[in-house]
Amino acid sequence: MATNISASASSTTNLLNQRLLSFPPSQYNKNILTKPYQQQCLLISSSNKKNRAAMVVNSSRKLINLDQHDDYLDVDDKPKEECGVVGIYGDPEASRLCYLALHALQHRGQEGAGMVTIENKVVKSVTGIGLVSDVFNESKLDQLPGDMAIGHVRYSTAAGSSSMLKNVQPFVTSSKFGSFGVAHNGNFVNYQLLRAELEGKGSIFSTTSDTEVVLHLIAKSKARIFALRVLEACEKLQGAYSMVFATEDGKLVAVRDPFGFRPLVMGRRKNGAIVFASETCALDLVEATYEREVHPGEMVLVDETSKEPQSMYLLKPHPPGPKSCIFEHIYFAQPNSIVFGKSVYESRHAFGEILATESPVEGCDVVIAVPDSGVVAALGYAAKAGVPYQQGLIRSHYVGRTFIEPSQKIRDFGVKLKLSPVRAILEGKKVVVVDDSIVRGTTSSKIVRMLKEAGAKEVHMRIASPPIIASCYYGIDTPSTEELISNRMKVEEIRKFIGADSLAFLPTDSFRNLLGSDHTNFCYACFSGKYPLYPSVAMEESIDDTMKLTVAAN
């Protein structure tokens, strides 16, 4: 067992105070962005530029050939959030509370789950492939005692089960100062550069996850206090990260990147236990009262030396303001969550109202949604338009990643597995169908065809977001730029491709007007091609020529 280093509360606080930023957290709320924040970044790039259109960087940073996954992509043609994190401190039922919180975050990752607990300076871990309920049961939770736990749910585009298991978090490692675990939501855009530097100094990596670089950076730090080692590591990281750490000597640390790309909130149970989670819906399930967000660039430390969480901030990097992911409000987060200080339900309802106001359909008979993420926007559209909302598409929640396809080819098989039209609602009707986004357009075209085959007289598609024209590098799995239909086609061309009678997207200007003075605090890179972290030469080589032209045009 590694030697444990302890320090008094006062000495720890004095050391940490040296790392405070020279401005308060309220500075992040200023809505002035003078010029883009420049950083050097590096992404994986395909050596075969001709085939780059068929490649995607997945959450384990591997390049996946999309041609091998057509059926799966057709079933759910949406951007994918890569994970959700939970941290619980000071509750004797920590592992069971963490289990429930991970259930609440299951929508953020369905392919792997894990948990780490601490008791008597012993770190215990359980990870596995599948849903939270597949990985954990009573006997597994009995193996995870203690009053502190961190947990993780993971999404990955593709990988064999053996390699995917190695990448399931939380990761646990030992250093000269003791053992600790980490769970991470986001992507480090300088991962390859950091990994190459660490390997050049003798580090050995056992996974393909970008999160592993954090373990090496912390282990190599010479600071004697864990919080300082985390701060030093974070100052070398570029990109998106909301992370929770648990140490063998009973410290729970939560930290968020200076841009605040990915969400992270803090709550408190009636018994005083502190809970961190990616969304407030997880707090609700474990009966923790939401207190606040972890601020961009903030690290929060909870341990036995202080009754209240201690807050400190990164000295660098120092961006001019937060750039939180707007897609959390469009698609990723649960409608009952508060994300970035705003109600997700209210945002989506307002998106639908804007569509009804700016892109009405004269004489429409019924408004339906592409479930589940389009439901709240459809309710907003129906309420504003004065048209009844009906459940015209029924979603099956029992379709997994793998299924046996019939020997006789059935058209639109993958979509029909998940969505079934209700003929009694659709037949002979002029239908408005609301969805959250269009990515490749393949699923939208199949939905339109399915609705018309079910008897709809007309199908008018309304999209509760602007057109997606650029890939995301900050923790969302999106297709390459060439695959994004809005990057290749104008709205009328997309309408013809999907077969709708009309098509309208949420206007960007209306979108920003709705957010008011807070609109500069969000990242719109997927709609504009303008990235808060500007690419270096190395990163630009991984962005196709079409993307460069898009950035230049804007």
Side-chain angles (χ1 to χ4, degrees):
M1 183 67 67
T3 303
N4 291 305
I5 304 299
S6 62
S8 67
S10 59
S11 61
T12 299
T13 302
N14 289 336
L15 283 168
L16 294 175
N17 283 341
Q18 298 174 20
R19 307 300 300 243
L20 293 176
L21 284 175
S22 58
F23 56 89
S26 59
Q27 187 83 4
Y28 279 113
N29 295 326
K30 290 189 176 180
N31 297 312
I32 301 173
L33 184 60
T34 55
K35 65 179 182 178
Y37 177 64
Q38 301 288 334
Q39 267 204 19
Q40 295 297 304
C41 309
L42 183 67
L43 285 182
I44 296 175
S45 60
S46 170
S47 58
N48 188 343
K49 294 185 178 180
K50 293 181 180 179
N51 294 332
R52 188 175 295 154
M55 309 301 284
V56 171
V57 182
N58 77 345
S59 60
S60 62
R61 314 304 294 166
K62 286 186 175 180
L63 291 171
I64 303 302
N65 192 328
L66 294 172
D67 295 335
Q68 299 174 4
H69 303 281
D70 286 341
D71 289 336
Y72 175 61
L73 292 171
D74 283 344
V75 171
D76 196 4
D77 183 17
K78 298 289 182 184
K80 303 296 192 304
E81 176 60 90
E82 293 187 349
C83 50
V85 299
V86 175
I88 296 176
Y89 181 90
D91 197 294
E93 296 288 325
S95 63
R96 280 166 169 75
L97 292 173
C98 188
Y99 169 79
L100 292 174
L102 290 176
H103 260 296
L105 299 177
Q106 188 73 85
H107 58 284
R108 299 182 76 89
Q110 298 89 44
E111 296 195 4
M115 193 188 308
V116 165
T117 60
I118 312 292
E119 185 184 48
N120 297 325
K121 297 187 178 181
V122 176
V123 179
K124 294 191 175 181
S125 172
V126 171
T127 59
I129 302 299
L131 301 176
V132 174
S133 57
D134 297 327
V135 176
F136 298 102
N137 53 34
E138 281 290 338
S139 63
K140 290 287 181 65
L141 292 175
D142 288 340
Q143 299 170 25
L144 296 168
D147 64 358
M148 182 169 65
I150 61 173
H152 189 270
V153 287
R154 178 179 185 267
Y155 166 80
S156 131
T157 51
S161 59
S162 60
S163 61
M164 194 162 71
L165 180 59
K166 291 192 300 184
N167 291 317
V168 176
Q169 298 180 35
F171 291 156
V172 177
T173 193
S174 296
S175 71
K176 59 186 177 182
F177 296 113
S179 300
F180 65 94
V182 60
H184 166 218
N185 175 205
N187 268 350
F188 306 133
V189 296
N190 63 336
Y191 157 69
Q192 290 283 48
L193 179 62
L194 288 174
R195 177 163 176 159
E197 290 178 353
L198 288 165
E199 287 178 328
K201 296 177 181 178
S203 294
I204 299 174
F205 285 75
S206 58
T207 76
T208 56
S209 170
D210 58 346
T211 309
E212 193 176 1
V213 302
V214 180
L215 305 180
H216 290 274
L217 290 172
I218 292 174
K220 286 182 175 295
S221 171
K222 295 180 180 179
R224 295 174 67 85
I225 297 175
F226 183 79
L228 294 178
R229 298 203 296 276
V230 173
L231 285 173
E232 284 185 4
C234 289
E235 289 174 358
K236 294 177 179 140
L237 300 173
Q238 298 168 8
Y241 54 88
S242 288
M243 297 186 286
V244 289
F245 297 84
T247 70
E248 68 172 38
D249 59 347
K251 291 180 174 60
L252 182 66
V253 174
V255 62
R256 193 166 167 220
D257 70 81
F259 286 93
F261 285 115
R262 309 258 63 83
L264 189 62
V265 296
M266 182 175 71
R268 193 185 306 258
R269 284 173 48 81
K270 289 181 179 179
N271 63 359
I274 302 296
V275 181
F276 296 97
S278 293
E279 293 182 35
T280 59
C281 62
L283 303 183
D284 296 337
L285 187 56
V286 300
E287 298 181 338
T289 301
Y290 168 71
E291 291 194 349
R292 66 176 180 87
E293 286 188 291
V294 175
H295 297 123
E298 181 186 17
M299 188 182 80
V300 181
L301 168 67
V302 189
D303 61 16
E304 62 183 6
T305 63
S306 175
K307 293 182 180 179
E308 290 298 315
Q310 301 174 61
S311 179
M312 57 220 73
Y313 290 83
L314 303 181
L315 283 172
K316 59 180 182 179
H318 185 162
K323 291 295 174 183
S324 302
C325 175
I326 193 60
F327 237 91
E328 293 285 349
H329 276 264
I330 292 169
Y331 176 68
F332 295 127
Q334 287 285 78
N336 58 324
S337 285
I338 304 295
V339 175
F340 309 133
K342 296 179 179 292
S343 165
V344 175
Y345 188 99
E346 291 178 358
S347 293
R348 292 180 188 171
H349 199 275
F351 297 160
E353 291 177 344
I354 292 172
L355 284 170
T357 301
E358 302 201 13
S359 303
V361 176
E362 293 294 330
C364 70
D365 300 304
V366 64
V367 177
I368 70 171
V370 177
D372 293 316
S373 55
V375 169
V376 180
L379 288 169
Y381 188 104
K384 191 70 174 180
V387 177
Y389 168 82
Q390 298 284 351
Q391 195 171 358
L393 285 170
I394 307 297
R395 184 179 182 93
S396 170
H397 294 274
Y398 307 103
V399 179
R401 273 185 58 88
T402 59
F403 44 79
I404 300 173
E405 190 168 349
S407 56
Q408 183 177 358
K409 186 70 175 177
I410 295 178
R411 188 170 67 173
D412 305 340
F413 172 72
V415 171
K416 287 179 179 177
L417 274 176
K418 282 199 171 182
L419 298 174
S420 303
V422 182
R423 184 174 291 272
I425 291 174
L426 302 169
E427 198 162 21
K429 303 287 181 61
K430 182 184 286 189
V431 179
V432 172
V433 56
V434 181
D435 202 357
D436 60 274
S437 60
I438 294 181
V439 182
R440 297 178 181 85
T442 52
T443 297
S444 298
S445 65
K446 292 175 182 181
I447 288 172
V448 170
R449 183 163 59 236
M450 190 165 56
L451 294 174
K452 290 193 172 183
E453 288 175 352
K457 181 172 65 175
E458 295 179 13
V459 176
H460 300 266
M461 184 76 79
R462 295 295 179 267
I463 307 301
S465 68
I468 301 173
I469 66 168
S471 298
C472 175
Y473 300 121
Y474 311 130
I476 299 173
D477 175 32
T478 50
S480 61
T481 303
E482 295 97 330
E483 292 175 282
L484 298 170
I485 193 169
S486 293
N487 185 270
R488 305 193 319 269
M489 299 182 185
K490 296 180 179 179
V491 174
E492 177 60 18
E493 294 173 316
I494 299 172
R495 182 199 68 77
K496 291 179 180 178
F497 177 84
I498 66 175
D501 292 278
S502 72
L503 170 67
F505 291 86
L506 188 69
T508 303
D509 290 342
S510 300
F511 192 49
R512 293 183 176 180
N513 289 338
L514 173 66
L515 296 172
S517 60
D518 288 337
H519 81 274
T520 59
N521 292 337
F522 289 91
C523 175
Y524 309 97
C526 53
F527 306 135
S528 66
K530 297 178 181 178
Y531 294 93
L533 289 175
Y534 267 65
S536 66
V537 174
M539 182 176 174
E540 285 180 353
E541 290 178 355
S542 72
I543 303 177
D544 52 273
D545 293 337
T546 307
M547 182 71 263
K548 293 178 186 177
L549 292 173
T550 302
V551 174
N554 285 279

